[in-house]
Amino acid sequence: MFFSNWFGPSLTRLPPGNRVALTFDDGPSETTPYVLDLLAEYNARATFFLVGMNCHRLPDVARRVIAEGHEIGNHTWSHANFYRCAPWQVRAEIERGQQAIEDTLGRRPQWFRPPFGVRWFGMFPALDRLGMRCALWSLDTCDWRDPADAIVERGAGAQAGDVLLLHDGFRTHVGNNRKETVAALGRLLAQFRDRGLEMVTLAPAAPAK
Ligand SMILES: [Zn+2]
């Protein structure tokens, strides 16, 4: 019910409940500490889909993500576009990303999110081998493209059960490049709190271990 099928099952929404799930892709980056500060201020938990190369570059930032109670997922080693990859390359990107995250954090993510949302040949077999599940989203805030006002307007349309897509980095780029996301996030967190929505990780929908 909460999984749509295309090649294989992918999570797109949370089980019933007065909750929303904020998810952040492409970190860790120089922006991530600002995102973490805001989440802490509103007692919100989120899920971070980490890029393996970025974990190697900013291990202390990645460690802060789990130290503050957030969930982590794998977002490949180098933010590869699977559409241009052979199945063996897809598998290598997932496995190398998983290894980089485990080396950095001592933890193996259960969740995987493909860059650009591209599910491709070789992806589901690789996830099965690693015991992982694919998590997509139900609401794209388009924060990678738009200014804060537009991000807030789109995000404010969230309903209970929605999984929101946001970004705390930009692929493997270096630098604090997500200022619009940070500006929007504080306003969205305040709105969700005022609406009585609990802000949770993907754990309520997690597969059995
Ligand atoms: Zn991404």
Side-chain angles (χ1 to χ4, degrees):
M1 177 176 179
F2 306 108
F3 286 80
S4 62
N5 284 280
W6 193 85
F7 278 126
S10 301
L11 174 91
T12 55
R13 295 184 63 80
L14 290 173
N18 203 29
R19 301 178 290 232
V20 290
L22 303 178
T23 65
F24 294 90
D25 288 9
D26 294 17
S29 85
E30 287 76 0
T31 301
T32 309
Y34 298 97
V35 169
L36 292 171
D37 287 348
L38 281 169
L39 293 173
E41 185 180 335
Y42 286 89
N43 195 29
R45 296 292 178 278
T47 303
F48 289 78
F49 287 91
L50 307 173
V51 174
M53 280 177 69
N54 294 343
C55 283
H56 277 191
R57 192 171 70 79
L58 295 171
D60 290 340
V61 178
R63 283 190 274 272
R64 193 183 150 193
V65 170
I66 58 167
E68 297 187 8
H70 304 292
E71 182 69 271
I72 52 166
N74 175 340
H75 197 48
T76 74
W77 163 248
S78 70
H79 208 275
N81 186 343
F82 287 171
Y83 185 69
R84 300 198 193 97
C85 292
W88 69 267
Q89 292 170 308
V90 168
R91 176 180 168 181
E93 275 284 334
I94 295 170
E95 290 181 348
R96 198 171 174 196
Q98 195 78 340
Q99 194 62 51
I101 293 167
E102 187 175 7
D103 289 347
T104 306
L105 300 176
R107 191 185 294 184
R108 296 180 72 81
Q110 291 179 277
W111 294 108
F112 175 78
R113 177 175 284 163
F116 315 102
V118 173
R119 290 148 286 170
W120 204 240
F121 300 99
M123 188 190 94
F124 281 104
L127 295 184
D128 285 345
R129 200 187 328 270
L130 294 168
M132 301 179 76
R133 301 287 275 280
C134 179
L136 297 175
W137 57 86
S138 57
L139 198 164
D140 183 356
T141 65
C142 296
D143 69 319
W144 51 275
R145 182 189 72 196
D146 286 347
D149 283 347
I151 299 167
V152 170
E153 188 177 332
R154 215 171 270 113
Q159 302 297 321
D162 269 327
V163 176
L164 279 74
L165 172 62
L166 294 147
H167 294 79
D168 63 325
F170 182 64
R171 303 179 190 171
T172 55
H173 293 212
V174 174
N176 176 15
N177 45 38
R178 299 259 36 100
K179 291 187 170 70
E180 299 299 320
T181 297
V182 172
L185 181 62
R187 292 161 61 188
L188 281 174
L189 289 168
Q191 288 196 23
F192 293 154
R193 179 196 59 195
D194 293 347
R195 289 169 59 190
L197 286 164
E198 192 184 1
M199 293 163 274
V200 300
T201 71
L202 294 182
K209 281 184 183 170

